[in-house]
Amino acid sequence: MTYKQLLLTVEDRIATVTLNRPPVNAQNAELRAELTEVFDELSDRDDVMVVILTGAGKVFSAGADIRERPNLAATTGAYSRHNRLVREAFNAVVECTKPIICAINGPAMGAGFGLVIASDIWVASENAYVSMPEINVGLAGGMTYLQKFFSQSRARRMFYTGMKVDAKEMYRLGLVEACLPAEELMPYALEMAREMASKSPTALRLAKEAARMTALMPSRDAYRYEQNNTVALSKTEDTKEAQRAFLEKRAPVYTGR
């Protein structure tokens, strides 16, 4: 498909999705619809094993495009349709069947931070920060997810004030895998993506599924779920090849079967 507000490249089984709506990658209805489409597409593509999500320019995403807001309440049903589109763009990222590395190349605010949260692994450039500044424009949203990653005190301070948390602090808190100079961000993300793409496609897909599903389950049920995945994987050709390669001290050759 052709996208107007996103850039999509695929090389060596790694897809790179770049938010491309200058100047600050603010999210409007069209961008959100394209996010839903691209991540649904990537979920189904056999030539993609890992996705990198980043932004063009010096801002990852400044969040929602406030210019869409003033007239929404004036039309019956408009806000409900808008909110559904927002949720589905977020859910398309969360539910993508491929692991997603978010390369946070600059500020990620509000709904921009939401896209970070929806991803699996975060890496950040030194000029990046995250925030939920909705209160500064008379809105409220995001506390559900802030509380999953920050302490109660920090999450509420961020929510009540719009406080920024920079990349160095996120690294100190263990929220990002790396805090890097801007020019090193994508090479680092690509190196990590290549390592993931070298694994069995079936095992990687089930690993992503397990990471998402077990977060919703009690521990006893979650571990049983993972054991069932292990049983299913043991019957695949890729697992047999992985075990042969381990014993023979060579690199495995996977077929996805």
Side-chain angles (χ1 to χ4, degrees), residues 226-236:
E226 290 187 89
Q227 286 181 316
N228 288 342
N229 280 350
T230 295
V231 172
L233 281 170
S234 71
K235 300 174 183 178
T236 67

Side-chain angles (χ1 to χ4, degrees), residues 202-235 239:
T202 306
L204 190 62
R205 178 181 59 79
L206 286 180
K208 170 62 187 277
E209 182 181 293
R212 187 170 67 86
M213 296 302 295
T214 55
L216 308 174
M217 300 177 180
S219 296
R220 182 183 178 90
D221 295 337
Y223 188 50
R224 177 67 179 272
Y225 174 87
E226 290 187 89
Q227 286 181 316
N228 288 342
N229 280 350
T230 295
V231 172
L233 281 170
S234 71
K235 300 174 183 178
T239 293

Side-chain angles (χ1 to χ4, degrees), residues 16-35:
T16 301
V17 176
T18 305
L19 307 176
N20 188 37
R21 187 170 185 252
V24 293
N25 300 319
Q27 298 174 40
N28 64 355
E30 185 175 22
L31 175 56
R32 284 169 164 149
E34 289 190 0
L35 279 169

